[in-house]
Amino acid sequence: MKKGIDVSSHQGTINWQKVKQAGIEFAIIRLGYGDNIERQDDTQFLNNVNGCIANNIPFGVYIYSYATSINGNASIQSEIEHTKRQLNKLNKKPFCVYIDMEDKSAEKLGKNMLTYYAEQFCVEISSLGYKAGVYANQYWFNTFLNVSQIASYGYSIWCAKYSDSKPNISSNYDIWQYSDKGRIDGINGNVDMNYMYANLIGEESKKSILELANEVIAGKWGNGVDRKNRLTNAGYNYAEVQAEVNKLLAPNVQPKVYYTIQRGDTLGKIAKKYGTTVSQLAKWNNIKNVNLIYAGQKIRVK
C-alpha cells in the first residue's frame, strides 16, 4: 500500500521537495475541469507536474467532469479533448488518467448514460496508450455508475469515502481517497489523502517508439539538437525514434490490413495493438458507435 495525495490549484503553490520528505509516495494532479476551454485549465497543473518530476514522485492526472451531453457544450467529447490537449504538454507519462464524476448537475442523466460517458472517456484515453480510470465517491459508484462493468474492462477505480471504514462498492478499487483534511508539510491548508492498493505505479511504462515517432511528427519534441536532447533526457533512444519517424514519413505502399474482432475486444484495445486511434478506426470502418462492435466483425486496422 502506498500513501498519496491529490491536488489542484486550490492548494496554491506547493513545495514538492517538502512533500517528498513528508513521505508522500504518489500524487494525482488536476489538469482542469469541464469543456476544452483554456480558462478552465488548472492554473497549477504544469507547476505541480514539474514539481513531482523534479522530486521523483509518481503522478497521475484527472479532469473534473460536468458533462451533460455527448457533443457540444458541457459534453463528454469536449472534456476528452480538454484532457488530450493537456496531456500533449507532458514529456513524462502519468501512471493513470482519471475522469472525476461527482457533479450534481449530471445526476439527471441516470446510470446507463453516465456509465457510457465514463467508458467513452476511458476508451479514448486508453487508445492513446494511457492507463485510464474513473473517480467517484461511494454514493455515485453505487447509484449513478455501473462500477463492476467499468472495472471489468480493466479501467482503474478510484473511490472516495471519508471514513475509517473502507468503501463498499460492487468492485475492487485501486485507490481509496479516505480524507479531505490531510495536513502535509509543503502544502498550506488541507489536502485530500489517498491509499493506493494496486500496483499502478509499477504499470507505468515509457511510451512506445511508435507513440514517440508520431509525437515527433506532430512537433511535440522540437527539432534538431533540441529534439535529440529532449528525447535523450527523457530516457529514450534518439536513433530508434528517428528511424521510426523516417519510416512513417516514407511513401506508404503497404496494403490495407484487416482484423477480425474476437470476443472481449474493444476498439481501444485494437487501436493500441495496431498503433492507431479509436477515432481513426471508426472513420476507416464507418463505425457510428465505438462501443457497438461484435465478434466476427472484420475491420480495417492499417
Side-chain angles (χ1 to χ4, degrees):
M1 181 178 73
K2 297 182 184 299
K3 184 177 181 180
I5 57 176
D6 60 273
V7 299
S8 69
S9 58
H10 294 300
Q11 277 70 48
T13 301
I14 295 173
N15 185 325
W16 285 101
Q17 182 177 16
K18 289 185 176 181
V19 170
K20 176 74 170 183
Q21 292 170 350
I24 293 302
E25 298 172 278
F26 70 92
I28 307 178
I29 300 166
R30 189 177 75 166
L31 61 86
Y33 59 93
D35 280 332
N36 187 20
I37 305 171
E38 288 190 4
R39 68 174 180 271
Q40 293 184 182
D41 295 349
D42 191 289
T43 57
Q44 291 294 322
F45 175 55
L46 290 180
N47 287 338
N48 286 332
V49 167
N50 292 332
C52 285
I53 293 173
N55 291 279
N56 198 28
I57 300 173
F59 69 93
V61 300
Y62 77 94
I63 183 170
Y64 182 90
S65 173
Y66 57 71
T68 54
S69 62
I70 295 176
N71 294 294
N73 295 328
S75 72
I76 189 62
Q77 192 58 48
S78 183
E79 292 180 353
I80 290 169
E81 295 305 316
H82 190 174
T83 302
K84 289 161 66 175
R85 177 170 58 80
Q86 290 289 71
L87 289 174
N88 282 336
K89 297 177 181 178
L90 305 182
N91 283 336
K92 185 174 176 61
K93 193 173 183 178
F95 62 76
C96 194
V97 181
Y98 291 96
I99 180 170
D100 176 349
M101 303 185 73
E102 57 182 310
D103 198 86
K104 191 168 184 62
S105 66
E107 293 180 357
K108 62 187 177 184
L109 299 179
K111 190 171 190 174
N112 290 340
M113 184 58 73
L114 288 170
T115 298
Y116 170 77
Y117 283 8
E119 292 175 354
Q120 185 74 7
F121 176 90
C122 290
V123 165
E124 288 280 348
I125 298 304
S126 296
S127 75
L128 301 175
Y130 296 95
K131 177 79 172 176
V134 179
Y135 166 94
N137 56 56
Q138 176 179 277
Y139 172 70
W140 253 71
F141 272 131
N142 287 334
T143 309
F144 299 110
L145 293 168
N146 188 334
V147 62
S148 59
Q149 178 175 305
I150 295 169
S152 72
Y153 296 131
Y155 303 132
S156 179
I157 302 300
W158 173 21
C159 185
K161 181 187 179 186
Y162 303 149
S163 170
D164 292 332
S165 61
K166 294 182 178 180
N168 181 17
I169 60 177
S170 60
S171 169
N172 292 330
Y173 46 87
D174 296 331
I175 301 176
W176 170 26
Q177 186 188 77
Y178 65 90
S179 174
D180 62 348
K181 302 195 182 316
R183 304 291 290 188
I184 297 294
D185 194 22
I187 300 177
N188 293 323
N190 294 335
V191 65
D192 295 340
M193 303 299 299
N194 299 269
Y195 289 130
M196 180 187 291
Y197 299 99
N199 189 25
L200 294 177
I201 294 171
E203 291 183 5
E204 180 182 8
S205 61
K206 289 183 177 293
K207 294 179 180 179
S208 69
I209 298 300
L210 181 60
E211 286 179 284
L212 289 166
N214 282 318
E215 289 182 353
V216 167
I217 292 170
K220 182 176 177 181
W221 292 86
N223 295 294
V225 175
D226 177 52
R227 176 192 296 172
K228 182 175 182 179
N229 290 338
R230 289 173 66 184
L231 286 167
T232 301
N233 291 338
Y236 297 109
N237 185 314
Y238 168 76
E240 289 183 357
V241 176
Q242 191 59 48
E244 185 68 20
V245 170
N246 295 339
K247 179 180 175 182
L248 291 174
L249 293 179
N252 185 5
V253 296
Q254 295 179 342
K256 297 176 182 179
V257 177
Y258 292 87
Y259 172 77
T260 301
I261 294 173
Q262 306 297 310
R263 186 178 298 277
D265 278 342
T266 66
L267 285 187
K269 291 180 182 178
I270 297 170
K272 185 174 181 181
K273 179 178 179 180
Y274 287 96
T276 184
T277 66
V278 170
S279 59
Q280 185 63 70
L281 290 178
K283 180 179 179 181
W284 280 339
N285 297 282
N286 195 29
I287 297 174
K288 303 301 183 184
N289 186 336
V290 297
N291 291 302
L292 292 179
I293 59 175
Y294 56 89
Q297 182 180 358
K298 189 175 181 180
I299 62 172
R300 177 185 166 192
V301 293
K302 284 190 178 181

